[in-house]
Amino acid sequence: MVKAITYTLVAIAVCIGVFIFTELYLTKQFNEFTEALETLYEKIDDETATVDDGYALREMWYDKKSKLHVLVPHNDISYIDYWLNEACGLLQNGNYELALGKIEVLREISKALPDAYKLSYENIF
C-alpha cells in the first residue's frame, strides 16, 4: 500500500515536471520566433524588407520546428509553415501589403499556440 501511494505521488510529480518543462520550453521558443516576426513586421510595414529577411525567418522557424514536433501537433506546425511560405512568396513579388497580413496572422498564431499547452484549468478539463 505504501509503495503504491509512493509510486503514484512520484508519477504525479514527474507529470507535473514534464508539463512545466513543456510550458517553459514552448514559451521560450515562441517568444524568440515572435520577436523575429515583430522585426520582419516592422520591416514590411516600412517596405524595407527583402525576400532574404523572409527566408532568414523561415530558416529560423525550420530550426525550431525540428525540435517542436515532439511537443506540438503537426497540424499546428503546418499552419505556421503555410503562412510563412505565403509571406515569403509575397515578399519575393514585392507585395508588402498582403505580406503584412500574412505576418499578422503568424503573430497571432505564435501568441496563441503556447497558451494552448499551458498547465491551466481550461487545458486540463
Side-chain angles (χ1 to χ4, degrees), residues 59-97:
E59 286 302 314
M60 176 190 186
W61 170 246
Y62 286 163
D63 180 53
K64 289 191 178 306
K65 86 173 188 176
S66 67
K67 298 169 189 89
L68 291 174
H69 272 292
V70 175
L71 304 171
V72 178
H74 299 298
N75 286 343
D76 292 341
I77 289 176
S78 68
Y79 291 142
I80 294 176
D81 288 341
Y82 173 78
W83 290 103
L84 189 54
N85 286 327
E86 278 205 17
C88 287
L90 291 167
L91 282 176
Q92 190 171 15
N93 294 330
N95 194 336
Y96 293 109
E97 188 175 325

PDB file of all heavy atoms in Angstrom, residues 59-97:
ATOM      1  N   GLU A  59      14.172  30.060 -42.125  1.00  0.00           N
ATOM      2  CA  GLU A  59      15.238  29.172 -41.661  1.00  0.00           C
ATOM      3  C   GLU A  59      15.227  29.044 -40.140  1.00  0.00           C
ATOM      4  O   GLU A  59      15.427  27.961 -39.593  1.00  0.00           O
ATOM      5  CB  GLU A  59      16.603  29.670 -42.133  1.00  0.00           C
ATOM      6  CG  GLU A  59      16.850  29.449 -43.608  1.00  0.00           C
ATOM      7  CD  GLU A  59      16.753  27.985 -44.013  1.00  0.00           C
ATOM      8  OE1 GLU A  59      17.326  27.124 -43.310  1.00  0.00           O
ATOM      9  OE2 GLU A  59      16.098  27.693 -45.029  1.00  0.00           O
ATOM     10  N   MET A  60      14.986  30.171 -39.463  1.00  0.00           N
ATOM     11  CA  MET A  60      14.878  30.137 -38.004  1.00  0.00           C
ATOM     12  C   MET A  60      13.733  29.225 -37.588  1.00  0.00           C
ATOM     13  O   MET A  60      13.863  28.418 -36.663  1.00  0.00           O
ATOM     14  CB  MET A  60      14.659  31.545 -37.465  1.00  0.00           C
ATOM     15  CG  MET A  60      14.433  31.610 -35.982  1.00  0.00           C
ATOM     16  SD  MET A  60      13.893  33.269 -35.528  1.00  0.00           S
ATOM     17  CE  MET A  60      13.867  33.120 -33.766  1.00  0.00           C
ATOM     18  N   TRP A  61      12.602  29.351 -38.271  1.00  0.00           N
ATOM     19  CA  TRP A  61      11.447  28.523 -37.958  1.00  0.00           C
ATOM     20  C   TRP A  61      11.733  27.049 -38.221  1.00  0.00           C
ATOM     21  O   TRP A  61      11.356  26.181 -37.433  1.00  0.00           O
ATOM     22  CB  TRP A  61      10.218  28.978 -38.731  1.00  0.00           C
ATOM     23  CG  TRP A  61       9.089  28.009 -38.606  1.00  0.00           C
ATOM     24  CD1 TRP A  61       8.540  27.251 -39.586  1.00  0.00           C
ATOM     25  CD2 TRP A  61       8.391  27.661 -37.402  1.00  0.00           C
ATOM     26  NE1 TRP A  61       7.538  26.461 -39.073  1.00  0.00           N
ATOM     27  CE2 TRP A  61       7.435  26.696 -37.731  1.00  0.00           C
ATOM     28  CE3 TRP A  61       8.493  28.079 -36.073  1.00  0.00           C
ATOM     29  CZ2 TRP A  61       6.579  26.135 -36.794  1.00  0.00           C
ATOM     30  CZ3 TRP A  61       7.642  27.519 -35.135  1.00  0.00           C
ATOM     31  CH2 TRP A  61       6.700  26.560 -35.504  1.00  0.00           C
ATOM     32  N   TYR A  62      12.397  26.734 -39.335  1.00  0.00           N
ATOM     33  CA  TYR A  62      12.710  25.341 -39.646  1.00  0.00           C
ATOM     34  C   TYR A  62      13.579  24.725 -38.567  1.00  0.00           C
ATOM     35  O   TYR A  62      13.421  23.556 -38.215  1.00  0.00           O
ATOM     36  CB  TYR A  62      13.393  25.220 -41.004  1.00  0.00           C
ATOM     37  CG  TYR A  62      12.470  25.402 -42.189  1.00  0.00           C
ATOM     38  CD1 TYR A  62      12.974  25.665 -43.440  1.00  0.00           C
ATOM     39  CD2 TYR A  62      11.089  25.313 -42.058  1.00  0.00           C
ATOM     40  CE1 TYR A  62      12.140  25.831 -44.534  1.00  0.00           C
ATOM     41  CE2 TYR A  62      10.247  25.481 -43.140  1.00  0.00           C
ATOM     42  CZ  TYR A  62      10.782  25.727 -44.381  1.00  0.00           C
ATOM     43  OH  TYR A  62       9.957  25.886 -45.457  1.00  0.00           O
ATOM     44  N   ASP A  63      14.507  25.516 -38.030  1.00  0.00           N
ATOM     45  CA  ASP A  63      15.356  25.016 -36.946  1.00  0.00           C
ATOM     46  C   ASP A  63      14.518  24.732 -35.705  1.00  0.00           C
ATOM     47  O   ASP A  63      14.687  23.711 -35.043  1.00  0.00           O
ATOM     48  CB  ASP A  63      16.459  26.029 -36.642  1.00  0.00           C
ATOM     49  CG  ASP A  63      17.373  25.552 -35.530  1.00  0.00           C
ATOM     50  OD1 ASP A  63      17.901  24.416 -35.644  1.00  0.00           O
ATOM     51  OD2 ASP A  63      17.565  26.307 -34.561  1.00  0.00           O
ATOM     52  N   LYS A  64      13.610  25.635 -35.385  1.00  0.00           N
ATOM     53  CA  LYS A  64      12.768  25.469 -34.196  1.00  0.00           C
ATOM     54  C   LYS A  64      11.767  24.326 -34.370  1.00  0.00           C
ATOM     55  O   LYS A  64      11.545  23.544 -33.458  1.00  0.00           O
ATOM     56  CB  LYS A  64      12.031  26.762 -33.881  1.00  0.00           C
ATOM     57  CG  LYS A  64      12.956  27.840 -33.365  1.00  0.00           C
ATOM     58  CD  LYS A  64      12.188  28.986 -32.814  1.00  0.00           C
ATOM     59  CE  LYS A  64      13.123  30.024 -32.253  1.00  0.00           C
ATOM     60  NZ  LYS A  64      14.066  29.523 -31.264  1.00  0.00           N
ATOM     61  N   LYS A  65      11.176  24.224 -35.540  1.00  0.00           N
ATOM     62  CA  LYS A  65      10.120  23.222 -35.712  1.00  0.00           C
ATOM     63  C   LYS A  65      10.664  21.807 -35.672  1.00  0.00           C
ATOM     64  O   LYS A  65       9.954  20.889 -35.290  1.00  0.00           O
ATOM     65  CB  LYS A  65       9.331  23.475 -36.992  1.00  0.00           C
ATOM     66  CG  LYS A  65       9.890  22.883 -38.242  1.00  0.00           C
ATOM     67  CD  LYS A  65       8.913  23.074 -39.384  1.00  0.00           C
ATOM     68  CE  LYS A  65       9.382  22.319 -40.596  1.00  0.00           C
ATOM     69  NZ  LYS A  65       8.444  22.382 -41.680  1.00  0.00           N
ATOM     70  N   SER A  66      11.949  21.627 -36.001  1.00  0.00           N
ATOM     71  CA  SER A  66      12.517  20.285 -35.930  1.00  0.00           C
ATOM     72  C   SER A  66      12.522  19.764 -34.492  1.00  0.00           C
ATOM     73  O   SER A  66      12.452  18.559 -34.270  1.00  0.00           O
ATOM     74  CB  SER A  66      13.935  20.278 -36.509  1.00  0.00           C
ATOM     75  OG  SER A  66      14.812  21.028 -35.694  1.00  0.00           O
ATOM     76  N   LYS A  67      12.576  20.678 -33.536  1.00  0.00           N
ATOM     77  CA  LYS A  67      12.544  20.285 -32.127  1.00  0.00           C
ATOM     78  C   LYS A  67      11.127  20.321 -31.555  1.00  0.00           C
ATOM     79  O   LYS A  67      10.836  19.643 -30.571  1.00  0.00           O
ATOM     80  CB  LYS A  67      13.455  21.205 -31.322  1.00  0.00           C
ATOM     81  CG  LYS A  67      14.906  21.129 -31.758  1.00  0.00           C
ATOM     82  CD  LYS A  67      15.710  22.243 -31.125  1.00  0.00           C
ATOM     83  CE  LYS A  67      17.088  22.321 -31.716  1.00  0.00           C
ATOM     84  NZ  LYS A  67      17.167  23.183 -32.878  1.00  0.00           N
ATOM     85  N   LEU A  68      10.268  21.108 -32.144  1.00  0.00           N
ATOM     86  CA  LEU A  68       8.911  21.273 -31.621  1.00  0.00           C
ATOM     87  C   LEU A  68       7.965  20.151 -32.031  1.00  0.00           C
ATOM     88  O   LEU A  68       6.897  19.995 -31.444  1.00  0.00           O
ATOM     89  CB  LEU A  68       8.329  22.612 -32.073  1.00  0.00           C
ATOM     90  CG  LEU A  68       8.967  23.854 -31.466  1.00  0.00           C
ATOM     91  CD1 LEU A  68       8.401  25.109 -32.114  1.00  0.00           C
ATOM     92  CD2 LEU A  68       8.756  23.896 -29.971  1.00  0.00           C
ATOM     93  N   HIS A  69       8.341  19.364 -33.034  1.00  0.00           N
ATOM     94  CA  HIS A  69       7.464  18.279 -33.491  1.00  0.00           C
ATOM     95  C   HIS A  69       7.141  17.291 -32.370  1.00  0.00           C
ATOM     96  O   HIS A  69       6.102  16.629 -32.405  1.00  0.00           O
ATOM     97  CB  HIS A  69       8.090  17.516 -34.662  1.00  0.00           C
ATOM     98  CG  HIS A  69       7.774  18.101 -35.986  1.00  0.00           C
ATOM     99  ND1 HIS A  69       6.512  18.084 -36.519  1.00  0.00           N
ATOM    100  CD2 HIS A  69       8.546  18.722 -36.893  1.00  0.00           C
ATOM    101  CE1 HIS A  69       6.517  18.662 -37.702  1.00  0.00           C
ATOM    102  NE2 HIS A  69       7.740  19.064 -37.952  1.00  0.00           N
ATOM    103  N   VAL A  70       7.989  17.208 -31.373  1.00  0.00           N
ATOM    104  CA  VAL A  70       7.756  16.289 -30.273  1.00  0.00           C
ATOM    105  C   VAL A  70       6.623  16.791 -29.381  1.00  0.00           C
ATOM    106  O   VAL A  70       5.853  16.000 -28.843  1.00  0.00           O
ATOM    107  CB  VAL A  70       9.048  16.130 -29.432  1.00  0.00           C
ATOM    108  CG1 VAL A  70       8.810  15.285 -28.203  1.00  0.00           C
ATOM    109  CG2 VAL A  70      10.162  15.550 -30.280  1.00  0.00           C
ATOM    110  N   LEU A  71       6.484  18.119 -29.270  1.00  0.00           N
ATOM    111  CA  LEU A  71       5.547  18.707 -28.319  1.00  0.00           C
ATOM    112  C   LEU A  71       4.289  19.296 -28.951  1.00  0.00           C
ATOM    113  O   LEU A  71       3.267  19.410 -28.291  1.00  0.00           O
ATOM    114  CB  LEU A  71       6.246  19.807 -27.522  1.00  0.00           C
ATOM    115  CG  LEU A  71       7.512  19.382 -26.772  1.00  0.00           C
ATOM    116  CD1 LEU A  71       8.226  20.592 -26.209  1.00  0.00           C
ATOM    117  CD2 LEU A  71       7.165  18.399 -25.680  1.00  0.00           C
ATOM    118  N   VAL A  72       4.383  19.707 -30.205  1.00  0.00           N
ATOM    119  CA  VAL A  72       3.285  20.414 -30.866  1.00  0.00           C
ATOM    120  C   VAL A  72       2.753  19.541 -32.001  1.00  0.00           C
ATOM    121  O   VAL A  72       3.536  18.983 -32.776  1.00  0.00           O
ATOM    122  CB  VAL A  72       3.782  21.773 -31.424  1.00  0.00           C
ATOM    123  CG1 VAL A  72       2.674  22.508 -32.145  1.00  0.00           C
ATOM    124  CG2 VAL A  72       4.340  22.632 -30.299  1.00  0.00           C
ATOM    125  N   PRO A  73       1.441  19.409 -32.117  1.00  0.00           N
ATOM    126  CA  PRO A  73       0.882  18.607 -33.215  1.00  0.00           C
ATOM    127  C   PRO A  73       1.311  19.130 -34.590  1.00  0.00           C
ATOM    128  O   PRO A  73       1.517  20.324 -34.783  1.00  0.00           O
ATOM    129  CB  PRO A  73      -0.633  18.765 -33.037  1.00  0.00           C
ATOM    130  CG  PRO A  73      -0.821  19.138 -31.615  1.00  0.00           C
ATOM    131  CD  PRO A  73       0.395  19.930 -31.236  1.00  0.00           C
ATOM    132  N   HIS A  74       1.430  18.214 -35.512  1.00  0.00           N
ATOM    133  CA  HIS A  74       1.908  18.549 -36.851  1.00  0.00           C
ATOM    134  C   HIS A  74       1.011  19.561 -37.555  1.00  0.00           C
ATOM    135  O   HIS A  74       1.491  20.373 -38.333  1.00  0.00           O
ATOM    136  CB  HIS A  74       2.057  17.282 -37.691  1.00  0.00           C
ATOM    137  CG  HIS A  74       3.039  16.319 -37.121  1.00  0.00           C
ATOM    138  ND1 HIS A  74       4.367  16.619 -36.956  1.00  0.00           N
ATOM    139  CD2 HIS A  74       2.887  15.065 -36.664  1.00  0.00           C
ATOM    140  CE1 HIS A  74       4.996  15.592 -36.431  1.00  0.00           C
ATOM    141  NE2 HIS A  74       4.124  14.625 -36.235  1.00  0.00           N
ATOM    142  N   ASN A  75      -0.286  19.516 -37.299  1.00  0.00           N
ATOM    143  CA  ASN A  75      -1.194  20.470 -37.936  1.00  0.00           C
ATOM    144  C   ASN A  75      -0.882  21.905 -37.518  1.00  0.00           C
ATOM    145  O   ASN A  75      -0.922  22.815 -38.340  1.00  0.00           O
ATOM    146  CB  ASN A  75      -2.652  20.148 -37.600  1.00  0.00           C
ATOM    147  CG  ASN A  75      -3.148  18.934 -38.332  1.00  0.00           C
ATOM    148  OD1 ASN A  75      -2.552  18.496 -39.305  1.00  0.00           O
ATOM    149  ND2 ASN A  75      -4.235  18.375 -37.850  1.00  0.00           N
ATOM    150  N   ASP A  76      -0.596  22.108 -36.243  1.00  0.00           N
ATOM    151  CA  ASP A  76      -0.261  23.456 -35.772  1.00  0.00           C
ATOM    152  C   ASP A  76       1.029  23.957 -36.421  1.00  0.00           C
ATOM    153  O   ASP A  76       1.128  25.122 -36.799  1.00  0.00           O
ATOM    154  CB  ASP A  76      -0.122  23.477 -34.246  1.00  0.00           C
ATOM    155  CG  ASP A  76      -1.440  23.256 -33.538  1.00  0.00           C
ATOM    156  OD1 ASP A  76      -2.498  23.445 -34.176  1.00  0.00           O
ATOM    157  OD2 ASP A  76      -1.422  22.902 -32.348  1.00  0.00           O
ATOM    158  N   ILE A  77       1.977  23.072 -36.560  1.00  0.00           N
ATOM    159  CA  ILE A  77       3.241  23.450 -37.195  1.00  0.00           C
ATOM    160  C   ILE A  77       3.024  23.733 -38.675  1.00  0.00           C
ATOM    161  O   ILE A  77       3.592  24.673 -39.225  1.00  0.00           O
ATOM    162  CB  ILE A  77       4.301  22.355 -36.972  1.00  0.00           C
ATOM    163  CG1 ILE A  77       4.721  22.378 -35.495  1.00  0.00           C
ATOM    164  CG2 ILE A  77       5.498  22.536 -37.881  1.00  0.00           C
ATOM    165  CD1 ILE A  77       5.671  21.309 -35.085  1.00  0.00           C
ATOM    166  N   SER A  78       2.174  22.953 -39.320  1.00  0.00           N
ATOM    167  CA  SER A  78       1.939  23.166 -40.751  1.00  0.00           C
ATOM    168  C   SER A  78       1.225  24.484 -41.020  1.00  0.00           C
ATOM    169  O   SER A  78       1.412  25.085 -42.077  1.00  0.00           O
ATOM    170  CB  SER A  78       1.177  21.996 -41.369  1.00  0.00           C
ATOM    171  OG  SER A  78      -0.137  21.943 -40.876  1.00  0.00           O
ATOM    172  N   TYR A  79       0.397  24.961 -40.069  1.00  0.00           N
ATOM    173  CA  TYR A  79      -0.227  26.279 -40.235  1.00  0.00           C
ATOM    174  C   TYR A  79       0.840  27.361 -40.311  1.00  0.00           C
ATOM    175  O   TYR A  79       0.765  28.256 -41.158  1.00  0.00           O
ATOM    176  CB  TYR A  79      -1.170  26.606 -39.072  1.00  0.00           C
ATOM    177  CG  TYR A  79      -2.415  25.772 -39.018  1.00  0.00           C
ATOM    178  CD1 TYR A  79      -2.920  25.363 -37.797  1.00  0.00           C
ATOM    179  CD2 TYR A  79      -3.098  25.392 -40.161  1.00  0.00           C
ATOM    180  CE1 TYR A  79      -4.068  24.586 -37.728  1.00  0.00           C
ATOM    181  CE2 TYR A  79      -4.236  24.629 -40.096  1.00  0.00           C
ATOM    182  CZ  TYR A  79      -4.715  24.232 -38.873  1.00  0.00           C
ATOM    183  OH  TYR A  79      -5.851  23.470 -38.809  1.00  0.00           O
ATOM    184  N   ILE A  80       1.808  27.287 -39.443  1.00  0.00           N
ATOM    185  CA  ILE A  80       2.884  28.281 -39.454  1.00  0.00           C
ATOM    186  C   ILE A  80       3.688  28.162 -40.745  1.00  0.00           C
ATOM    187  O   ILE A  80       4.014  29.173 -41.373  1.00  0.00           O
ATOM    188  CB  ILE A  80       3.775  28.138 -38.208  1.00  0.00           C
ATOM    189  CG1 ILE A  80       2.963  28.477 -36.963  1.00  0.00           C
ATOM    190  CG2 ILE A  80       5.007  29.028 -38.316  1.00  0.00           C
ATOM    191  CD1 ILE A  80       3.680  28.284 -35.661  1.00  0.00           C
ATOM    192  N   ASP A  81       3.994  26.948 -41.164  1.00  0.00           N
ATOM    193  CA  ASP A  81       4.711  26.745 -42.435  1.00  0.00           C
ATOM    194  C   ASP A  81       3.955  27.397 -43.592  1.00  0.00           C
ATOM    195  O   ASP A  81       4.535  28.093 -44.421  1.00  0.00           O
ATOM    196  CB  ASP A  81       4.871  25.252 -42.742  1.00  0.00           C
ATOM    197  CG  ASP A  81       5.882  24.563 -41.859  1.00  0.00           C
ATOM    198  OD1 ASP A  81       6.731  25.252 -41.259  1.00  0.00           O
ATOM    199  OD2 ASP A  81       5.818  23.324 -41.767  1.00  0.00           O
ATOM    200  N   TYR A  82       2.662  27.147 -43.633  1.00  0.00           N
ATOM    201  CA  TYR A  82       1.822  27.653 -44.718  1.00  0.00           C
ATOM    202  C   TYR A  82       1.855  29.178 -44.787  1.00  0.00           C
ATOM    203  O   TYR A  82       2.129  29.760 -45.831  1.00  0.00           O
ATOM    204  CB  TYR A  82       0.387  27.143 -44.520  1.00  0.00           C
ATOM    205  CG  TYR A  82      -0.609  27.730 -45.479  1.00  0.00           C
ATOM    206  CD1 TYR A  82      -0.687  27.269 -46.786  1.00  0.00           C
ATOM    207  CD2 TYR A  82      -1.462  28.751 -45.073  1.00  0.00           C
ATOM    208  CE1 TYR A  82      -1.607  27.817 -47.673  1.00  0.00           C
ATOM    209  CE2 TYR A  82      -2.382  29.296 -45.952  1.00  0.00           C
ATOM    210  CZ  TYR A  82      -2.449  28.832 -47.246  1.00  0.00           C
ATOM    211  OH  TYR A  82      -3.349  29.376 -48.112  1.00  0.00           O
ATOM    212  N   TRP A  83       1.577  29.833 -43.662  1.00  0.00           N
ATOM    213  CA  TRP A  83       1.515  31.295 -43.644  1.00  0.00           C
ATOM    214  C   TRP A  83       2.888  31.913 -43.883  1.00  0.00           C
ATOM    215  O   TRP A  83       2.999  32.936 -44.568  1.00  0.00           O
ATOM    216  CB  TRP A  83       0.923  31.790 -42.331  1.00  0.00           C
ATOM    217  CG  TRP A  83      -0.535  31.484 -42.210  1.00  0.00           C
ATOM    218  CD1 TRP A  83      -1.106  30.495 -41.472  1.00  0.00           C
ATOM    219  CD2 TRP A  83      -1.607  32.146 -42.881  1.00  0.00           C
ATOM    220  NE1 TRP A  83      -2.466  30.506 -41.636  1.00  0.00           N
ATOM    221  CE2 TRP A  83      -2.812  31.515 -42.491  1.00  0.00           C
ATOM    222  CE3 TRP A  83      -1.677  33.215 -43.763  1.00  0.00           C
ATOM    223  CZ2 TRP A  83      -4.053  31.920 -42.951  1.00  0.00           C
ATOM    224  CZ3 TRP A  83      -2.926  33.615 -44.221  1.00  0.00           C
ATOM    225  CH2 TRP A  83      -4.085  32.970 -43.822  1.00  0.00           C
ATOM    226  N   LEU A  84       3.921  31.289 -43.360  1.00  0.00           N
ATOM    227  CA  LEU A  84       5.264  31.821 -43.548  1.00  0.00           C
ATOM    228  C   LEU A  84       5.713  31.691 -45.001  1.00  0.00           C
ATOM    229  O   LEU A  84       6.305  32.618 -45.565  1.00  0.00           O
ATOM    230  CB  LEU A  84       6.240  31.099 -42.612  1.00  0.00           C
ATOM    231  CG  LEU A  84       7.646  31.642 -42.515  1.00  0.00           C
ATOM    232  CD1 LEU A  84       7.646  33.118 -42.151  1.00  0.00           C
ATOM    233  CD2 LEU A  84       8.438  30.854 -41.477  1.00  0.00           C
ATOM    234  N   ASN A  85       5.394  30.583 -45.630  1.00  0.00           N
ATOM    235  CA  ASN A  85       5.748  30.412 -47.032  1.00  0.00           C
ATOM    236  C   ASN A  85       4.975  31.386 -47.920  1.00  0.00           C
ATOM    237  O   ASN A  85       5.524  31.911 -48.897  1.00  0.00           O
ATOM    238  CB  ASN A  85       5.518  28.965 -47.478  1.00  0.00           C
ATOM    239  CG  ASN A  85       6.559  28.031 -46.929  1.00  0.00           C
ATOM    240  OD1 ASN A  85       7.718  28.405 -46.747  1.00  0.00           O
ATOM    241  ND2 ASN A  85       6.164  26.813 -46.646  1.00  0.00           N
ATOM    242  N   GLU A  86       3.723  31.634 -47.585  1.00  0.00           N
ATOM    243  CA  GLU A  86       2.962  32.620 -48.352  1.00  0.00           C
ATOM    244  C   GLU A  86       3.558  34.011 -48.205  1.00  0.00           C
ATOM    245  O   GLU A  86       3.670  34.754 -49.174  1.00  0.00           O
ATOM    246  CB  GLU A  86       1.500  32.634 -47.906  1.00  0.00           C
ATOM    247  CG  GLU A  86       0.689  31.545 -48.539  1.00  0.00           C
ATOM    248  CD  GLU A  86      -0.793  31.890 -48.596  1.00  0.00           C
ATOM    249  OE1 GLU A  86      -1.160  33.071 -48.449  1.00  0.00           O
ATOM    250  OE2 GLU A  86      -1.569  30.958 -48.808  1.00  0.00           O
ATOM    251  N   ALA A  87       3.949  34.367 -46.987  1.00  0.00           N
ATOM    252  CA  ALA A  87       4.551  35.684 -46.762  1.00  0.00           C
ATOM    253  C   ALA A  87       5.854  35.823 -47.537  1.00  0.00           C
ATOM    254  O   ALA A  87       6.115  36.875 -48.138  1.00  0.00           O
ATOM    255  CB  ALA A  87       4.795  35.909 -45.269  1.00  0.00           C
ATOM    256  N   CYS A  88       6.657  34.773 -47.570  1.00  0.00           N
ATOM    257  CA  CYS A  88       7.918  34.821 -48.331  1.00  0.00           C
ATOM    258  C   CYS A  88       7.653  34.987 -49.826  1.00  0.00           C
ATOM    259  O   CYS A  88       8.347  35.741 -50.509  1.00  0.00           O
ATOM    260  CB  CYS A  88       8.746  33.561 -48.078  1.00  0.00           C
ATOM    261  SG  CYS A  88       9.513  33.514 -46.453  1.00  0.00           S
ATOM    262  N   GLY A  89       6.642  34.297 -50.327  1.00  0.00           N
ATOM    263  CA  GLY A  89       6.285  34.442 -51.734  1.00  0.00           C
ATOM    264  C   GLY A  89       5.817  35.850 -52.061  1.00  0.00           C
ATOM    265  O   GLY A  89       6.161  36.405 -53.106  1.00  0.00           O
ATOM    266  N   LEU A  90       5.056  36.443 -51.180  1.00  0.00           N
ATOM    267  CA  LEU A  90       4.594  37.816 -51.400  1.00  0.00           C
ATOM    268  C   LEU A  90       5.743  38.817 -51.312  1.00  0.00           C
ATOM    269  O   LEU A  90       5.777  39.788 -52.064  1.00  0.00           O
ATOM    270  CB  LEU A  90       3.496  38.166 -50.390  1.00  0.00           C
ATOM    271  CG  LEU A  90       2.185  37.408 -50.601  1.00  0.00           C
ATOM    272  CD1 LEU A  90       1.276  37.563 -49.404  1.00  0.00           C
ATOM    273  CD2 LEU A  90       1.499  37.881 -51.878  1.00  0.00           C
ATOM    274  N   LEU A  91       6.683  38.565 -50.412  1.00  0.00           N
ATOM    275  CA  LEU A  91       7.870  39.437 -50.341  1.00  0.00           C
ATOM    276  C   LEU A  91       8.686  39.336 -51.615  1.00  0.00           C
ATOM    277  O   LEU A  91       9.238  40.332 -52.088  1.00  0.00           O
ATOM    278  CB  LEU A  91       8.743  39.060 -49.139  1.00  0.00           C
ATOM    279  CG  LEU A  91       8.276  39.548 -47.784  1.00  0.00           C
ATOM    280  CD1 LEU A  91       9.176  39.008 -46.686  1.00  0.00           C
ATOM    281  CD2 LEU A  91       8.259  41.063 -47.748  1.00  0.00           C
ATOM    282  N   GLN A  92       8.763  38.143 -52.159  1.00  0.00           N
ATOM    283  CA  GLN A  92       9.520  37.954 -53.401  1.00  0.00           C
ATOM    284  C   GLN A  92       8.901  38.763 -54.540  1.00  0.00           C
ATOM    285  O   GLN A  92       9.624  39.278 -55.392  1.00  0.00           O
ATOM    286  CB  GLN A  92       9.552  36.469 -53.757  1.00  0.00           C
ATOM    287  CG  GLN A  92      10.498  36.140 -54.882  1.00  0.00           C
ATOM    288  CD  GLN A  92      10.658  34.642 -55.037  1.00  0.00           C
ATOM    289  OE1 GLN A  92       9.877  33.850 -54.515  1.00  0.00           O
ATOM    290  NE2 GLN A  92      11.681  34.251 -55.762  1.00  0.00           N
ATOM    291  N   ASN A  93       7.592  38.914 -54.520  1.00  0.00           N
ATOM    292  CA  ASN A  93       6.909  39.691 -55.548  1.00  0.00           C
ATOM    293  C   ASN A  93       6.803  41.170 -55.194  1.00  0.00           C
ATOM    294  O   ASN A  93       6.234  41.945 -55.964  1.00  0.00           O
ATOM    295  CB  ASN A  93       5.506  39.128 -55.798  1.00  0.00           C
ATOM    296  CG  ASN A  93       5.547  37.749 -56.395  1.00  0.00           C
ATOM    297  OD1 ASN A  93       6.477  37.408 -57.117  1.00  0.00           O
ATOM    298  ND2 ASN A  93       4.554  36.939 -56.087  1.00  0.00           N
ATOM    299  N   GLY A  94       7.289  41.531 -54.003  1.00  0.00           N
ATOM    300  CA  GLY A  94       7.234  42.936 -53.578  1.00  0.00           C
ATOM    301  C   GLY A  94       5.855  43.386 -53.140  1.00  0.00           C
ATOM    302  O   GLY A  94       5.585  44.581 -53.074  1.00  0.00           O
ATOM    303  N   ASN A  95       4.982  42.458 -52.813  1.00  0.00           N
ATOM    304  CA  ASN A  95       3.624  42.791 -52.390  1.00  0.00           C
ATOM    305  C   ASN A  95       3.613  42.920 -50.861  1.00  0.00           C
ATOM    306  O   ASN A  95       3.226  42.001 -50.138  1.00  0.00           O
ATOM    307  CB  ASN A  95       2.652  41.713 -52.865  1.00  0.00           C
ATOM    308  CG  ASN A  95       1.225  42.160 -52.767  1.00  0.00           C
ATOM    309  OD1 ASN A  95       0.892  43.034 -51.977  1.00  0.00           O
ATOM    310  ND2 ASN A  95       0.377  41.555 -53.568  1.00  0.00           N
ATOM    311  N   TYR A  96       4.022  44.092 -50.380  1.00  0.00           N
ATOM    312  CA  TYR A  96       4.177  44.311 -48.946  1.00  0.00           C
ATOM    313  C   TYR A  96       2.848  44.311 -48.198  1.00  0.00           C
ATOM    314  O   TYR A  96       2.772  43.828 -47.070  1.00  0.00           O
ATOM    315  CB  TYR A  96       4.908  45.637 -48.694  1.00  0.00           C
ATOM    316  CG  TYR A  96       6.330  45.618 -49.165  1.00  0.00           C
ATOM    317  CD1 TYR A  96       6.733  46.343 -50.277  1.00  0.00           C
ATOM    318  CD2 TYR A  96       7.280  44.868 -48.496  1.00  0.00           C
ATOM    319  CE1 TYR A  96       8.048  46.323 -50.710  1.00  0.00           C
ATOM    320  CE2 TYR A  96       8.599  44.837 -48.912  1.00  0.00           C
ATOM    321  CZ  TYR A  96       8.983  45.572 -50.026  1.00  0.00           C
ATOM    322  OH  TYR A  96      10.285  45.532 -50.440  1.00  0.00           O
ATOM    323  N   GLU A  97       1.817  44.817 -48.814  1.00  0.00           N
ATOM    324  CA  GLU A  97       0.532  44.920 -48.129  1.00  0.00           C
ATOM    325  C   GLU A  97      -0.026  43.541 -47.783  1.00  0.00           C
ATOM    326  O   GLU A  97      -0.452  43.305 -46.650  1.00  0.00           O
ATOM    327  CB  GLU A  97      -0.461  45.685 -48.999  1.00  0.00           C
ATOM    328  CG  GLU A  97      -1.753  46.003 -48.283  1.00  0.00           C
ATOM    329  CD  GLU A  97      -2.658  46.875 -49.141  1.00  0.00           C
ATOM    330  OE1 GLU A  97      -2.158  47.733 -49.879  1.00  0.00           O
ATOM    331  OE2 GLU A  97      -3.879  46.667 -49.048  1.00  0.00           O
TER     332      GLU A  97
END
